[in-house]
């Protein structure tokens, strides 16, 4: 080792020991190699190492050494707010001055920028989305790029559309790297990348290395270690249904070590499970993408302090959450790939000798995977429509205004705009979006390959559940880890380590909890922006005399209890038939528990193209049980609704506006129960209610078998 390398190692080791607070700390295999490549070689490096290996130590130590050598601040691109909070706290322990700019701390931006100008910041954490914020991109980023000492891309699998959590904004990093001065080191880190993702990320990190002076150290250095987690004890317990899985949890949650995370596939499952466990005396909290941000922070802190037994979470609690002594991770339902499963179970046992990981898959998992299958790939027709609208506008168009011009809901529209932006076809500017004029070609072959890979990953997850071989070895091989070998700890290697018996009455308790019926259908109270552009003479608030009242659905399509039956009943390709008796009985229970201000005086059915027998039988059945007159279906005008499900509010409204008639119905004065199969955007029910109100109904009570979402 050269004197320079020796000096660097000594300085790096001292910084590492400050970071972890231990005088006897030593580097893990590969850590100093990465630091040396960044500090001495000013290279571009990709580090693929298991969770808990110490990837953050690499970039914090390298930052300290680079700053001492006179380099500018490190820019750390981090995908999640929870990750940013943990990283800032870790940096402070090492004496690294770290600050973040994100959507939740706008009140601090001025102070952050002042500290940057005064060179009082060692690490600036930003989200990938912030890189394309017009004011940040145009006002702060150029000066930052000129001074940047190192770029770090955390959770780098997000760069690759082969990765399990691809994010279009990460693709911008390729352009950012190309703008940086020569010799600025770049570090990308991840724990979840197979060979395809590694190659893709490395290619993007080194996109400009062929140009003269673009890097001191030459090609991208990849440091890849074994992904086996010796602390984890993996297992799979296959149970027949959701009630039995919950019964197992009620019986054995307290037996699981320490505190941990219970993952579910849907928001409603997380909320239902948390409610059931709390009712039975367990200290748990729900944590989803719909949880208030302040409540999320509070819940994270409670878990870290072991003030709760578990957070019942969706994938919203994933990358970057850092509790080194997390005792267990349990899944109620399987993620859609072994790679994403490995990423989630990697939360456990990071700094402990033992942690338990148990998967309780469900027969409904495939249906839920399909239900949520979306969207990181653009649709050719919709992409062309967006580009054409922006080109025609001739100036910036805001996202809400664009939403009113193209038949796309806000979330998929924003994702599509990001993809087109990264591809160079559109650009975000002050005031909205513009077309760049750069030709855009739909890469059909590439997207077909990606879709096929997603399907293969789902099959691999099924194979993980059913394998008789070592489960850790299976996960390692799924990530192309050539060091994979039997772990000796999982249920395949050492036998089932988890109990299988259920406490007396647990199944009945769980079944009763998930058999709850009645989900509110909130009435629309505001006409959507831009509807007037589509020929709908409506804007502003919906008149109280035209509104529906709050309605009810039997359940959500994603519910643990009724969700399976409803997804099957309403699935594409399912033959239309009268409502099954158990489902009708559930509907009757909803009405019995409704608590309406005034009992309905009649029942009307929505005209249904896909499920006419089903909707008619529900309406007739409810009318018979309630001894109410059944007036029949609303009539259709000019062929009825146009368009397909899934569009945005303005287009959905335009597709049903003026398409219903109550002329053939003898609508009595009083509340009318309006029956449909599925409540999605609620615009169909809103317009139908308006029609019935105009025909004399004093109130309209919407009822649907299922609520989407």
């Amino acid at each position: 080792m050269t004197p320079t390398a020796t000096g660097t190692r000594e300085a790096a080791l001292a910084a590492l020991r400050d970071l972890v607070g231990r005088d006897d700390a030593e580097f893990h295999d590969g850590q100093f190699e990465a630091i040396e490549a960044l500090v001495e070689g000013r290279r571009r490096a990709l580090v693929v190492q298991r969770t808990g290996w110490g990837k953050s130590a690499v970039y914090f130590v390298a930052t300290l050494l680079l700053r001492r050598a006179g380099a500018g601040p490190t820019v750390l691109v981090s995908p999640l707010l929870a990750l940013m909070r943990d990283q800032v706290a870790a940096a402070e322990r090492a004496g690294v001055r770290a600050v973040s700019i994100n959507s939740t701390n706008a009140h601090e931006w001025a102070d952050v920028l002042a500290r940057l100008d005064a060179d009082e910041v060692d690490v600036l954490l930003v989200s990938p989305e912030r890189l394309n914020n017009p004011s940040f991109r145009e006002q702060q980023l150029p000066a930052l790029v000129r001074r940047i000492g190192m770029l770090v891309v955390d959770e780098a699998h997000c760069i690759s559309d082969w990765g399990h959590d691809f994010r279009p904004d990460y693709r911008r990093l390729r352009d950012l790297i190309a703008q940086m001065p020569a010799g600025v080191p770049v570090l990308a880190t991840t724990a979840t990348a197979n060979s395809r993702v590694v190659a893709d990320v490395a290619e993007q990190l080194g996109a400009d290395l062929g140009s003269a002076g673009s890097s001191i150290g030459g090609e991208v250095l990849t440091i890849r270690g074994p992904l086996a987690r010796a602390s984890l004890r993996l297992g799979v317990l296959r149970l027949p249904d959701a009630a039995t899985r919950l019964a197992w949890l009620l019986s054995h949650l307290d037996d699981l070590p320490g505190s941990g995370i219970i993952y579910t596939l849907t928001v409603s499952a997380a909320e239902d499970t948390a409610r059931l466990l709390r009712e039975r005396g367990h200290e748990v909290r729900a944590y989803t993408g719909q949880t208030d941000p302040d409540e999320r922070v509070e819940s994270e802190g409670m878990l870290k302090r072991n003030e709760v037994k578990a957070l019942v979470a969706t994938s919203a609690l994933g990358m970057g959450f850092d509790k080194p002594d997390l005792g267990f991770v349990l899944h109620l339902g399987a993620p859609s790939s072994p790679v994403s499963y490995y990423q989630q179970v990697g939360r456990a046992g990071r700094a402990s000798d033992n942690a338990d990981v148990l998967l309780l898959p469900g027969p409904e998992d495939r249906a839920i995977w399909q239900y949520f299958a979306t969207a990181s790939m653009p649709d050719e027709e919709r992409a062309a429509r967006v580009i054409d609208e922006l080109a025609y506008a001739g100036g910036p168009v805001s996202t809400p205004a664009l939403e009113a011009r193209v038949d796309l809901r806000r979330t998929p529209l924003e994702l599509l705009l990001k993809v087109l932006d990264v591809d160079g076809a559109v650009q975000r500017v002050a005031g909205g979006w513009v077309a760049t004029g750069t030709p855009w070609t739909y890469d059909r072959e590439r997207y077909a390959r990606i879709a096929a890979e997603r399907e293969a990953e789902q099959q691999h997850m099924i194979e993980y559940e059913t394998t008789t071989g070592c489960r850790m070895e299976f996960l390692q091989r799924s990530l192309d880890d050539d060091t994979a070998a039997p772990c000796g700890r999982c249920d395949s290697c050492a036998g089932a380590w988890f109990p299988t018996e259920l406490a007396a009455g647990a199944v009945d308790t769980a079944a009763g909890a998930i058999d709850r019926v009645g989900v509110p259908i909130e009435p629309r109270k505001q006409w959507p922006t831009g509807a007037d552009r589509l020929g709908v003479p409506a804007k502003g608030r919906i008149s109280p005399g035209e509104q529906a009242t709050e309605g009810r659905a039997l359940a959500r399509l994603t519910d643990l209890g009724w969700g399976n039956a409803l997804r099957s009943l309403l699935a594409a390709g399912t033959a239309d038939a009268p409502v099954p008796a158990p489902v009708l009985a559930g509907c009757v229970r909803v009405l019995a528990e409704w608590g309406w201000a005034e009992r309905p005086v009649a029942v009307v059915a929505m005209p249904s193209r896909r499920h006419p027998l089903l909707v008619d039988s529900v309406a007739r059945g409810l009318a018979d049980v309630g001894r109410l007159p059944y007036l029949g279906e609303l009539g259709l005008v000019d062929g009825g609704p146009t368009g397909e499900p899934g569009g945005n509010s303005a287009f959905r409204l335009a597709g049903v506006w003026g398409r219903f008639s109550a002329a053939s119905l003898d609508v009595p004065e009083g509340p009318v129960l309006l029956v449909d199969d599925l409540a999605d955007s609620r615009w169909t029910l809103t317009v139908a209610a308006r029609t019935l109100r105009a025909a004399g109904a004093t109130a309209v009570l919407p009822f649907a078998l299922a609520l989407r979402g």
Side-chain angles (χ1 to χ4, degrees):
M1 186 176 293
T2 66
T4 300
T6 300
T8 300
R9 183 179 182 88
E10 290 175 351
L13 186 58
L16 174 72
R17 290 172 174 174
D18 288 341
L19 176 67
V20 300
R22 289 179 49 189
D23 292 337
D24 61 345
E26 296 291 340
F27 288 116
H28 295 150
D29 288 345
Q31 279 185 317
F32 179 68
E33 181 184 1
I35 292 168
E36 184 180 32
L38 297 166
V39 175
E40 297 297 334
R42 305 298 175 95
R43 296 188 63 176
R44 297 181 186 177
L46 169 60
V47 172
V48 183
Q49 297 281 0
R50 66 184 183 276
T51 302
W53 172 85
K55 295 181 286 294
S56 61
V58 170
Y59 49 73
F60 285 141
V61 170
T63 292
L64 281 172
L65 301 187
L66 287 166
R67 291 286 282 162
R68 290 172 189 170
T74 290
V75 175
L76 171 55
V77 181
S78 183
L80 293 179
L81 297 181
L83 186 57
M84 287 189 182
R85 290 190 287 270
D86 284 340
Q87 287 168 325
V88 168
E92 290 174 350
R93 290 195 297 271
V96 179
R97 299 168 296 181
V99 296
S100 66
I101 289 181
N102 61 65
S103 59
T104 68
N105 71 342
H107 59 289
E108 299 175 2
W109 291 358
D111 179 61
V112 169
L113 296 174
R115 291 180 61 189
L116 279 168
D117 288 341
D119 200 26
E120 296 173 352
V121 171
D122 298 317
V123 177
L124 173 66
L125 293 92
V126 298
S127 67
E129 292 79 9
R130 185 58 42 192
L131 297 176
N132 199 42
N133 176 276
S135 62
F136 181 82
R137 185 185 66 212
E138 295 166 10
Q139 297 173 26
Q140 283 86 43
L141 189 59
L144 194 57
V145 166
R146 289 193 296 271
R147 297 179 51 226
I148 190 170
M150 180 170 65
L151 174 67
V152 177
V153 182
D154 209 1
E155 306 295 348
H157 58 271
C158 296
I159 291 177
S160 174
D161 52 15
W162 299 105
H164 75 273
D165 196 23
F166 167 61
R167 303 189 180 194
D169 284 296
Y170 259 71
R171 284 283 189 182
R172 304 185 208 287
L173 294 169
R174 178 173 180 155
D175 297 332
L176 176 60
I177 291 170
Q179 297 172 29
M180 295 190 314
V184 173
V186 178
L187 172 67
T189 69
T190 182
T192 46
N194 57 24
S195 295
R196 187 194 299 270
V197 174
V198 168
D200 191 16
V201 174
E203 179 185 357
Q204 294 183 64
L205 291 182
D208 66 332
L209 287 180
S211 59
S214 60
S215 174
I216 294 175
E219 66 181 16
V220 174
L221 171 68
T222 299
I223 299 175
R224 188 167 187 176
L227 299 178
R229 295 286 306 282
S231 63
L232 300 185
R233 184 168 60 163
L234 303 176
V236 175
L237 177 58
R238 300 177 71 84
L239 296 170
D241 52 39
T244 311
R245 295 196 299 276
L246 287 176
W248 187 95
L249 195 56
L250 286 171
S251 303
H252 299 293
L253 177 58
D254 286 338
D255 300 332
L256 295 170
S259 55
I261 301 172
I262 301 167
Y263 279 110
T264 68
L265 297 184
T266 68
V267 170
S268 56
E271 293 173 345
D272 290 347
T273 301
R275 183 188 67 239
L276 170 62
L277 292 173
R278 284 196 304 271
E279 289 174 350
R280 304 303 294 179
H282 297 283
E283 292 293 332
V284 300
R285 277 192 165 203
Y287 186 112
T288 76
Q290 296 181 17
T291 305
D292 179 79
D294 290 338
E295 185 179 339
R296 286 205 230 178
V297 174
E298 182 182 35
S299 295
E300 291 168 18
M302 293 178 72
L303 181 59
K304 290 178 181 179
R305 296 187 298 271
N306 297 314
E307 295 172 0
V308 292
K309 180 65 177 179
L311 296 184
V312 187
T314 62
S315 59
L317 183 64
M319 292 183 297
F321 177 76
D322 185 15
K323 176 177 167 58
D325 63 341
L326 194 76
F328 67 89
V329 169
L330 185 143
H331 281 76
L332 293 176
S336 59
S337 78
V339 177
S340 54
Y341 184 63
Y342 178 88
Q343 190 272 329
Q344 290 180 352
V345 303
R347 301 297 103 215
R350 299 178 65 172
S352 59
D353 293 334
N354 298 286
D356 288 343
V357 172
L358 184 61
L359 170 62
L360 278 63
E364 71 279 4
D365 291 351
R366 280 185 179 272
I368 294 176
W369 297 341
Q370 185 62 37
Y371 178 79
F372 285 112
T374 82
S376 63
M377 295 173 287
D379 174 271
E380 182 176 13
E381 181 182 348
R382 289 175 174 174
R385 195 183 313 151
V386 167
I387 295 170
D388 289 347
E389 284 290 344
L390 291 176
Y392 177 77
V397 179
S398 69
T399 304
L402 185 60
E403 185 183 11
R405 302 183 188 188
V406 297
D407 191 7
L408 267 176
R409 290 182 179 178
R410 181 71 55 86
T411 298
L413 174 59
E414 289 176 338
L415 181 57
L416 177 57
L417 285 166
K418 289 179 179 180
V419 172
L420 294 175
D421 187 0
V422 172
D423 286 348
V426 306
Q427 184 178 24
R428 187 180 175 193
V429 298
W433 296 87
V434 296
T436 63
T438 301
W440 183 81
T441 303
Y442 182 73
D443 194 341
R444 184 175 289 102
E445 181 181 351
R446 172 168 165 253
Y447 294 127
R449 290 199 311 270
I450 294 169
E453 180 69 15
R454 297 281 188 268
E455 293 181 7
E457 288 173 348
Q458 293 179 10
Q459 183 57 39
H460 292 162
M461 195 64 216
I462 299 297
E463 293 168 2
Y464 170 80
E465 297 171 13
T466 57
T467 184
T468 57
C470 173
R471 298 197 192 276
M472 180 59 75
E473 182 181 16
F474 187 101
L475 292 178
Q476 287 180 264
R477 294 195 186 282
S478 296
L479 278 87
D480 298 320
D481 179 0
D482 58 13
T483 69
C487 70
R489 292 170 57 87
C490 71
D491 58 345
S492 293
C493 289
W497 50 265
F498 42 82
T500 57
E501 72 279 359
L502 304 177
V507 173
D508 291 339
T509 298
I514 64 177
D515 189 45
R516 296 183 183 184
V517 296
V519 179
I521 301 175
E522 297 295 334
R524 291 283 191 178
K525 296 183 178 181
Q526 188 89 14
W527 298 115
T529 301
D532 55 332
R533 294 174 177 267
L534 301 173
V536 177
K539 60 172 56 178
R541 290 188 58 81
I542 301 175
S543 165
E546 296 180 322
Q547 289 181 19
T549 58
E550 182 182 83
R552 292 290 187 277
L554 173 59
R556 297 181 183 88
L557 280 178
T558 55
D559 280 350
L560 283 175
W562 286 94
N564 288 340
L566 293 174
R567 284 193 301 271
S568 175
L569 196 62
L570 301 177
T574 299
D576 185 32
V579 62
V583 176
L584 181 60
C587 296
V588 172
R589 287 171 52 202
V590 175
L591 268 62
E593 299 170 8
W594 194 320
W596 41 50
E598 186 178 356
R599 191 175 189 272
V601 298
V603 179
V604 172
M606 289 295 300
S608 174
R609 290 172 174 166
R610 291 179 297 170
H611 307 112
L613 288 176
L614 178 64
V615 175
D616 180 74
S617 64
V618 173
R620 290 181 184 276
L622 295 179
D624 289 344
V625 171
R627 298 181 180 179
L628 300 171
Y630 174 49
L631 305 184
E633 294 182 349
L634 280 171
L636 296 176
V637 177
D638 296 333
T642 61
E644 294 295 328
N648 65 50
S649 284
F651 277 83
R652 292 294 291 275
L653 175 61
V656 296
W657 185 264
R659 298 287 176 163
F660 302 117
S661 169
S664 63
L665 306 179
D666 185 12
V667 179
E669 184 177 347
V672 171
L673 185 69
L674 177 63
V675 177
D676 204 356
D677 52 358
L678 177 66
D680 187 358
S681 71
R682 292 168 287 145
W683 287 116
T684 299
L685 290 172
T686 299
V687 172
R690 179 176 181 270
T691 301
L692 288 169
R693 295 292 301 270
T698 57
V700 175
L701 306 168
F703 176 82
L705 287 174
L707 181 66
R708 188 181 294 277

